[in-house]
Amino acid sequence: LAADNQNGDWQYHNSTHWTSLPTSLRMYNALLLNRTTTVRFAPFTDFYGTAVIAVRAWDMTEHSIGDWGVNATDDGPFDSFSEGVVIIQQNVTSVNDDPLLTLNGTESVDYSRQFFEQAGPVPIVNRGGVVVWDVDHFQLQYADVVMVNPVDGDADVILVNETIAGLNVIRNMSSASPSSSLRLVVGTPSLESHPPLYGNLSYRDAQTILLEQAIASLRYNNTLDEPSLDTRVVRIVVSDGVGMSDVAETTIRIVPNNDHAPVL
């Protein structure tokens, strides 16, 4: 009689393959199926929640199996359709989808950069290419930013724009180099998950957008007169409280400055 197809596809098996139920099912525009016909709900990717279908019993004294466009309204005790209508619910269980993080737009999840000695901080992401998104969480819990090899100790510094609204920067004081190991949290993020908004799959809460802005503001600096020339590696992940994104990695090549005359 009616099927909720907003978040997926109701289908029936016609003995050889699965076929979608018509989207225009109505009480007066019904599809007649055998009582042994199997019906299923095929949810859209990432959907979870409840889908419903409405059915009415048919005694097969008139019409034929497979007839479509039948008026199945109840016309009294002597017609072939039941008086009652049954609403069947299909529950679709949520499975967490990990958040997505890219540092370089469509080009790459990862990013590379040069740092010139004594020339000041440099971005460690493509500022216009940072994307943070999660299909089933409108808000994200945090971003972890860690330099794998801070060979110059606290002189290797990761900077972030701490004026971003609600941003809390937590330095890892147990790290060998707290200046290059930090967690970014915006506000008090919700752990609640949400079915995707299929009308606008790009929807993100303002909290997630602010976290993305914080990641986009990340910079690297080294204040030593002669920094080590080892290539620095910075790894960034974001968490929705259940799962983590794939690791996005920035490599920073140190370019020395020949600023000291030789001594004879």
Side-chain angles (χ1 to χ4, degrees):
L1 301 178
D4 170 19
N5 292 303
Q6 181 179 1
N7 297 302
D9 188 25
W10 283 97
Q11 303 170 343
Y12 68 97
H13 200 270
N14 65 2
S15 77
T16 60
H17 60 275
W18 290 100
T19 301
S20 296
L21 290 174
T23 57
S24 56
L25 287 175
R26 299 291 186 276
M27 190 79 71
Y28 53 83
N29 199 38
L31 173 66
L32 303 184
L33 300 176
N34 191 308
R35 64 181 179 179
T36 61
T37 299
T38 303
V39 177
R40 72 178 184 184
F41 178 68
F44 290 152
T45 301
D46 300 317
F47 170 75
Y48 66 91
T50 301
V52 298
I53 188 171
V55 299
R56 171 167 273 168
W58 169 48
D59 65 11
M60 303 179 68
T61 56
E62 55 180 341
H63 307 293
S64 300
I65 295 172
D67 282 357
W68 156 239
V70 176
N71 186 344
T73 54
D74 176 34
D75 289 330
F78 302 108
D79 72 0
S80 59
F81 300 104
S82 65
E83 179 179 353
V85 174
V86 175
I87 305 298
I88 300 173
Q89 292 189 344
Q90 176 63 62
N91 295 319
V92 180
T93 303
S94 170
V95 176
N96 185 64
D97 290 87
D98 292 337
L100 301 175
L101 168 66
T102 178
L103 304 183
N104 200 20
T106 58
E107 294 184 23
S108 172
V109 171
D110 301 326
Y111 188 64
S112 60
R113 183 76 198 201
Q114 290 183 327
F115 171 80
F116 293 88
E117 175 190 322
Q118 298 297 310
V122 295
I124 60 175
V125 298
N126 176 354
R127 289 182 174 178
V130 174
V131 178
V132 176
W133 187 62
D134 192 312
V135 71
D136 56 7
H137 288 84
F138 293 159
Q139 297 189 349
L140 293 176
Q141 297 301 299
Y142 59 82
D144 278 342
V145 185
V146 178
M147 180 175 289
V148 177
N149 57 336
V151 291
D152 285 332
D154 285 340
D156 282 318
V157 180
I158 295 177
L159 304 169
V160 62
N161 180 5
E162 300 193 31
T163 66
I164 291 173
L167 177 62
N168 184 20
V169 181
I170 305 169
R171 299 280 178 179
N172 183 0
M173 302 310 295
S174 64
S175 166
S177 178
S179 62
S180 59
S181 178
L182 56 152
R183 173 167 290 187
L184 309 178
V185 181
V186 175
T188 306
S190 169
L191 277 170
E192 184 178 358
S193 58
H194 305 265
L197 296 179
Y198 285 104
N200 182 9
L201 282 177
S202 63
Y203 175 80
R204 297 179 304 161
D205 188 85
Q207 184 265 0
T208 296
I209 294 174
L210 289 171
L211 184 62
E212 180 182 275
Q213 291 174 1
I215 294 171
S217 76
L218 291 168
R219 295 178 299 158
Y220 167 74
N221 195 26
N222 190 309
T223 56
L224 291 182
D225 185 42
E226 295 292 337
S228 168
L229 299 184
D230 290 6
T231 296
R232 307 301 198 272
V233 177
V234 178
R235 292 176 180 165
I236 306 172
V237 295
V238 294
S239 170
D240 60 15
V242 182
M244 308 285 286
S245 69
D246 290 339
V247 176
E249 189 170 277
T250 291
T251 54
I252 306 168
R253 188 169 69 88
I254 309 300
V255 180
N257 178 19
N258 186 14
D259 55 353
H260 294 288
V263 177
L264 182 60

